[in-house]
Amino acid sequence: MLTRRLIACLDVKGGRVVKGVRFESLRDVGDPVELAVRYEHQGADEIVFLDISATLEERETLLEVARRTAERLFIPLTIGGGIRGADEVARALRAGADKVSINTAAVERPEVLSESAARFGSQCVVASIDARRENGGWRVHTHGGKEPTDLEAVAWARECVRRGAGEILLTSIDRDGGRSGYDLDLTRAVAEAVDVPVIASGGAGTAEHMSEALRRGGADAVLVAGILHDGMTTVTALKRRLAEAGIPMRLA
Amino acid sequence: MKATIFDYGAGNLHSLAKALSGAEVGIEPDPLRAIDTDLLVLPGVGAFAAAAASLAPGRKQMRAALDSGLPCVGICLGMQLLFDASEEGPGEGLGILPGQVTKLRARRIPQIGWNTLEEASDPLFERAPLPIAYFANGYACRPEEPGCVTAWSTHEGDRFPAAVRRGSVLGVQFHPEKSSSAGVRFLGAFLEEVARCS
């Protein structure tokens, strides 16, 4: 039986892991390679590095971090942030990523999803969607949540899958960093609309939040960041709680 | 012992190379040169058609090498290449194992995540237990002779081979190099087997 996944997410800037609230007020929380390996040992099912830097120099730094990580990490690694085209996907995969998440570039030029899927397979193309609640729906935002688009999140998720995305990483901007739980309505609306796995993101505070996202939200995986980096809890403890709640989990 | 990864795509080979570090690891994009080795590794990232096209110039020779006993491990797409052909795209596989590769019969496709292994009978699983492993596949192998299957997995209602074996040729639908320390040990156990038999 396929288990549900707990994915540890590391926002990386200038080669360091940082954490912000609602995509802002960043602080340093550690070295990406060390944290990734620690989370693997705790039983994380996957690791995501999101490059939240703005410059090309820093992007090179992230690829270097990916290379060092891939030497020591034996669970899947996804890299996202600033990926513009299929050639950049190739570079990220070459550097040591197993999957690449694409956000702003897909909104600006959706063909990037189909081109990447044709070359590398849908299983390594993750469409990352940042959405904010608005008038009973959810509006897609780009550029790290700063720029509103004309896209509605559920329809956009469907379009991403139609174009070849093999997974949706769905972040609620409203909930990001708030630790008050995932946006379950958003998660469920997207999970029901697409046939690929949906990763719920934004708002993880407790194991109960994760359990709700997996059960009521219909997510296949939950993304966790801040509460791990702060040492408030561990992957091991969270997964044990989820297993006790009857959710199929891999226990390391 | 020399292990050669046949590089037919643009995927991440770092973790795989590292997981094979018991051997001297080479990466080779030429299918004819790739078979000049003690262990051929068919890695697991990419699309079937692109991989079959890279394989085509050396397909017959690679098939002959495996038929005459060259040890081989095919991972995910690499396992699928051991079969005749795939619904995913045009091109010929190696045909070491008779059968087709078809789309998973499930709602959630691709299957991405950790799935349990059932009825694991390959002796490797005794030496290196692997009750659960990481998969990332939209397609699965359908052997004509189910006798070659040495472990099964189930996604939604579809039961598919997680591992197959013919002599010294091993195919795994999961990614041992992404299945944490237990997966790396499983790969290590196969390396030991190859070293012992050579």
XYZ file of all heavy atoms in Angstrom, chain A residues 41-94:
418
model
N 17.353 11.007 8.461
C 17.554 10.087 9.582
C 16.335 10.035 10.493
O 16.044 9.010 11.104
C 18.806 10.468 10.370
C 20.064 10.208 9.585
N 21.240 10.862 9.808
C 20.292 9.377 8.544
C 22.149 10.428 8.938
N 21.591 9.531 8.168
N 15.619 11.155 10.566
C 14.403 11.170 11.384
C 13.225 10.487 10.686
O 12.177 10.302 11.289
C 14.006 12.618 11.704
C 14.947 13.321 12.672
C 14.486 14.742 12.967
O 13.435 15.180 12.491
N 15.270 15.474 13.737
N 13.392 10.157 9.406
C 12.331 9.446 8.702
C 11.553 10.271 7.689
O 10.500 9.834 7.211
N 12.059 11.460 7.337
C 11.382 12.261 6.299
C 11.295 11.444 5.016
O 12.213 10.692 4.680
C 12.151 13.554 6.046
N 10.195 11.569 4.299
C 10.005 10.800 3.070
C 10.644 11.477 1.868
O 10.970 10.809 0.881
C 8.509 10.594 2.834
C 7.900 9.736 3.926
O 8.420 8.627 4.149
O 6.946 10.191 4.580
N 10.778 12.780 1.924
C 11.404 13.530 0.834
C 11.911 14.847 1.409
O 11.470 15.286 2.473
C 10.390 13.872 -0.275
C 9.901 12.689 -1.063
C 8.976 13.111 -2.209
O 9.225 14.165 -2.828
O 8.024 12.369 -2.466
N 12.782 15.481 0.627
C 13.275 16.810 0.977
C 12.995 17.750 -0.198
O 13.147 17.364 -1.359
C 14.804 16.798 1.233
C 15.179 15.820 2.355
C 15.324 18.208 1.517
C 14.744 16.225 3.745
N 12.577 18.964 0.124
C 12.417 19.998 -0.906
C 13.322 21.175 -0.551
O 13.312 21.651 0.586
C 10.950 20.489 -0.974
C 10.832 21.672 -1.933
C 10.020 19.372 -1.430
N 14.104 21.629 -1.528
C 14.846 22.886 -1.394
C 14.148 23.918 -2.251
O 14.015 23.719 -3.474
C 16.278 22.767 -1.934
C 17.244 22.045 -1.042
C 18.492 21.665 -1.530
C 16.944 21.750 0.277
C 19.402 21.011 -0.724
C 17.857 21.088 1.097
C 19.095 20.717 0.591
N 13.701 25.003 -1.651
C 13.132 26.089 -2.446
C 14.096 27.261 -2.408
O 14.409 27.798 -1.338
C 11.766 26.510 -1.897
C 10.611 25.558 -2.155
C 9.309 26.156 -1.632
C 10.470 25.219 -3.642
N 14.574 27.632 -3.587
C 15.511 28.742 -3.710
C 14.706 30.037 -3.667
O 13.954 30.330 -4.589
C 16.246 28.604 -5.043
C 17.234 29.724 -5.259
O 17.540 30.432 -4.300
O 17.694 29.872 -6.408
N 14.850 30.777 -2.579
C 14.050 32.005 -2.488
C 14.922 33.243 -2.711
O 14.525 34.360 -2.430
C 13.296 32.102 -1.144
C 14.275 32.084 0.022
C 12.304 30.962 -1.000
C 13.627 32.568 1.299
N 16.121 32.999 -3.264
C 16.981 34.136 -3.586
C 16.567 34.705 -4.936
O 15.867 34.068 -5.707
C 18.428 33.687 -3.639
O 18.560 32.676 -4.600
N 17.020 35.901 -5.200
C 16.574 36.548 -6.422
C 17.647 36.564 -7.501
O 17.352 36.824 -8.656
C 16.147 37.980 -6.106
N 18.876 36.270 -7.150
C 19.954 36.491 -8.125
C 20.477 35.190 -8.728
O 20.356 34.121 -8.131
C 21.141 37.208 -7.462
O 21.712 36.308 -6.511
C 20.697 38.485 -6.770
N 21.067 35.304 -9.903
C 21.620 34.146 -10.590
C 22.804 33.553 -9.819
O 22.986 32.341 -9.803
C 22.073 34.547 -11.995
C 20.926 34.759 -12.987
C 21.458 35.347 -14.280
C 20.205 33.447 -13.259
N 23.597 34.422 -9.173
C 24.762 33.931 -8.412
C 24.290 32.978 -7.325
O 24.855 31.920 -7.098
C 25.543 35.088 -7.752
C 26.209 36.061 -8.716
C 25.213 36.982 -9.403
O 24.257 37.405 -8.735
O 25.381 37.243 -10.605
N 23.203 33.396 -6.657
C 22.700 32.558 -5.571
C 22.124 31.245 -6.107
O 22.150 30.229 -5.441
C 21.655 33.326 -4.762
C 22.292 34.352 -3.836
C 21.260 35.090 -3.014
O 20.392 35.749 -3.611
O 21.326 35.008 -1.784
N 21.588 31.316 -7.338
C 21.055 30.087 -7.941
C 22.188 29.089 -8.161
O 22.034 27.900 -7.928
C 20.371 30.427 -9.267
C 19.512 29.325 -9.779
C 18.277 29.865 -10.481
N 17.498 30.711 -9.625
C 16.972 31.873 -10.006
N 17.143 32.315 -11.228
N 16.260 32.581 -9.164
N 23.331 29.574 -8.613
C 24.503 28.700 -8.765
C 24.855 28.071 -7.423
O 25.186 26.901 -7.343
C 25.702 29.503 -9.294
C 25.606 29.833 -10.781
C 25.385 28.582 -11.621
O 26.072 27.570 -11.404
O 24.502 28.623 -12.510
N 24.760 28.891 -6.367
C 25.045 28.388 -5.019
C 24.106 27.239 -4.688
O 24.521 26.222 -4.130
C 24.845 29.516 -3.979
O 25.597 30.649 -4.416
C 25.292 29.097 -2.600
N 22.831 27.357 -5.069
C 21.869 26.307 -4.750
C 22.213 25.006 -5.480
O 22.109 23.921 -4.916
C 20.438 26.731 -5.096
C 19.430 25.653 -4.682
C 19.176 25.674 -3.187
C 18.133 25.755 -5.428
N 22.620 25.120 -6.748
C 22.986 23.906 -7.487
C 24.185 23.233 -6.820
O 24.272 22.010 -6.766
C 23.287 24.234 -8.955
C 22.069 24.685 -9.780
C 22.459 24.922 -11.232
C 20.932 23.671 -9.708
N 25.101 24.048 -6.320
C 26.259 23.504 -5.610
C 25.795 22.797 -4.320
O 26.275 21.710 -3.992
C 27.252 24.635 -5.306
C 28.558 24.185 -4.690
C 29.181 22.990 -5.401
O 29.178 22.970 -6.650
O 29.645 22.059 -4.699
N 24.849 23.416 -3.640
C 24.287 22.794 -2.429
C 23.619 21.461 -2.801
O 23.763 20.457 -2.099
C 23.265 23.738 -1.748
C 22.468 23.009 -0.684
C 23.974 24.944 -1.140
N 22.902 21.445 -3.930
C 22.233 20.212 -4.373
C 23.255 19.114 -4.627
O 23.041 17.958 -4.253
C 21.417 20.480 -5.635
N 24.369 19.477 -5.254
C 25.420 18.488 -5.518
C 25.933 17.880 -4.220
O 26.062 16.672 -4.088
C 26.607 19.151 -6.247
C 26.440 19.149 -7.743
C 27.591 19.831 -8.466
N 27.029 20.461 -9.649
C 26.885 21.764 -9.827
N 27.330 22.613 -8.915
N 26.324 22.215 -10.915
N 26.203 18.754 -3.250
C 26.730 18.257 -1.968
C 25.678 17.417 -1.255
O 25.993 16.432 -0.603
C 27.155 19.437 -1.081
C 28.460 20.087 -1.532
C 29.017 20.986 -0.438
N 28.196 22.180 -0.222
C 27.695 22.545 0.947
N 27.909 21.811 2.023
N 26.966 23.641 1.053
N 24.410 17.812 -1.400
C 23.333 17.083 -0.724
C 23.158 15.692 -1.332
O 23.026 14.697 -0.616
C 22.018 17.871 -0.817
O 22.245 19.196 -0.347
C 20.928 17.223 0.011
N 23.154 15.630 -2.664
C 22.906 14.356 -3.353
C 23.964 13.312 -3.015
O 23.705 12.111 -3.079
C 22.850 14.578 -4.864
N 25.149 13.748 -2.643
C 26.207 12.815 -2.240
C 25.853 12.107 -0.937
O 26.349 11.030 -0.665
C 27.509 13.594 -1.995
C 28.044 14.288 -3.221
C 28.994 13.382 -3.973
O 29.997 12.990 -3.378
O 28.697 13.065 -5.143
N 25.023 12.754 -0.130
C 24.783 12.216 1.216
C 23.325 11.859 1.481
O 23.015 11.241 2.496
C 25.247 13.239 2.267
C 26.759 13.409 2.254
C 27.234 14.425 3.267
N 26.714 14.174 4.608
C 26.692 15.102 5.566
N 27.128 16.314 5.322
N 26.221 14.803 6.748
N 22.438 12.254 0.590
C 21.003 12.056 0.835
C 20.496 10.879 0.013
O 20.741 10.819 -1.186
C 20.248 13.333 0.441
C 18.791 13.416 0.891
C 18.723 13.710 2.390
C 18.046 14.500 0.117
N 19.783 9.961 0.641
C 19.265 8.809 -0.090
C 17.748 8.725 -0.031
O 17.161 7.652 0.044
C 19.944 7.522 0.398
C 21.417 7.513 0.070
C 22.357 7.731 1.045
C 21.842 7.347 -1.236
C 23.717 7.758 0.747
C 23.189 7.372 -1.564
C 24.131 7.585 -0.568
N 17.117 9.896 -0.044
C 15.676 9.998 -0.278
C 15.513 11.074 -1.358
O 16.459 11.816 -1.630
C 14.888 10.359 1.012
C 15.438 11.636 1.643
C 14.916 9.203 2.006
C 14.632 12.140 2.839
N 14.342 11.162 -1.974
C 14.188 12.087 -3.096
C 14.365 13.556 -2.699
O 13.940 13.975 -1.621
C 12.764 11.829 -3.571
C 12.446 10.464 -3.095
C 13.154 10.315 -1.786
N 15.007 14.287 -3.606
C 15.249 15.712 -3.410
C 14.576 16.488 -4.551
O 14.796 16.199 -5.725
C 16.755 15.988 -3.430
C 17.177 17.461 -3.387
C 16.790 18.098 -2.049
C 18.684 17.600 -3.617
N 13.736 17.443 -4.169
C 13.112 18.331 -5.153
C 13.742 19.712 -5.019
O 13.967 20.178 -3.902
C 11.595 18.453 -4.892
O 11.016 17.149 -4.953
C 10.920 19.351 -5.934
N 14.010 20.332 -6.163
C 14.542 21.696 -6.138
C 13.563 22.607 -6.870
O 13.061 22.259 -7.938
C 15.915 21.757 -6.824
C 16.952 21.059 -5.958
C 16.344 23.209 -7.054
C 18.336 21.171 -6.487
N 13.314 23.766 -6.285
C 12.447 24.732 -6.950
C 12.956 26.133 -6.736
O 13.833 26.370 -5.900
N 12.380 27.040 -7.483
C 12.753 28.440 -7.339
C 13.548 28.926 -8.526
O 14.679 28.502 -8.743
N 12.929 29.787 -9.314
C 13.660 30.429 -10.395
C 13.939 29.572 -11.615
O 14.686 29.980 -12.495
N 13.351 28.381 -11.697
C 13.563 27.534 -12.869
C 12.741 28.097 -14.033
O 11.520 28.218 -13.924
C 13.120 26.089 -12.588
C 13.799 25.559 -11.332
C 13.308 25.206 -13.818
C 15.055 24.811 -11.498
N 13.407 28.441 -15.140
C 12.717 29.112 -16.245
C 12.362 28.168 -17.394
O 11.360 28.374 -18.069
C 13.574 30.248 -16.836
C 14.262 31.147 -15.850
C 13.349 31.924 -14.942
N 12.289 32.647 -15.649
C 11.289 33.257 -15.028
N 11.203 33.203 -13.721
N 10.378 33.895 -15.714
N 13.233 27.217 -17.692
C 12.985 26.397 -18.881
C 13.530 24.994 -18.724
O 14.136 24.660 -17.705
N 13.287 24.164 -19.751
C 13.662 22.748 -19.686
C 15.181 22.578 -19.526
O 15.631 21.622 -18.886
C 13.159 22.015 -20.925
N 15.966 23.502 -20.078
C 17.414 23.382 -19.912
C 17.823 23.588 -18.459
O 18.754 22.960 -17.966
C 18.156 24.388 -20.803
C 18.063 23.979 -22.269
O 17.879 22.770 -22.536
O 18.160 24.861 -23.144
N 17.097 24.495 -17.782
C 17.393 24.692 -16.356
C 16.925 23.507 -15.526
O 17.542 23.174 -14.516
C 16.765 25.998 -15.861
C 17.603 27.201 -16.247
C 16.943 28.494 -15.828
O 17.148 28.895 -14.682
O 16.214 29.062 -16.659
N 15.834 22.870 -15.979
C 15.408 21.635 -15.319
C 16.530 20.611 -15.442
O 16.923 19.957 -14.464
C 14.101 21.090 -15.939
C 13.767 19.711 -15.371
C 12.950 22.056 -15.690
N 17.092 20.496 -16.649
C 18.178 19.541 -16.884
C 19.353 19.814 -15.949
O 19.918 18.887 -15.366
C 18.639 19.620 -18.340
N 19.690 21.085 -15.773
C 20.826 21.428 -14.908
C 20.536 21.055 -13.465
O 21.412 20.559 -12.759
C 21.145 22.919 -15.007
C 21.680 23.313 -16.371
C 22.086 24.780 -16.410
N 23.161 25.042 -15.458
C 23.282 26.168 -14.765
N 22.400 27.128 -14.888
N 24.289 26.330 -13.955
N 19.298 21.294 -13.023
C 18.945 20.956 -11.641
C 19.004 19.443 -11.429
O 19.513 18.963 -10.413
C 17.558 21.495 -11.302
N 18.505 18.672 -12.422
C 18.540 17.215 -12.298
C 19.984 16.731 -12.311
O 20.376 15.863 -11.531
C 17.747 16.561 -13.438
C 16.237 16.869 -13.487
C 15.606 16.228 -14.719
C 15.529 16.389 -12.227
N 20.779 17.316 -13.195
C 22.197 16.960 -13.261
C 22.910 17.249 -11.948
O 23.835 16.550 -11.557
C 22.892 17.759 -14.380
C 22.747 17.159 -15.738
C 23.618 15.925 -15.858
N 23.406 15.246 -17.124
C 23.653 13.951 -17.328
N 24.107 13.206 -16.358
N 23.447 13.401 -18.497
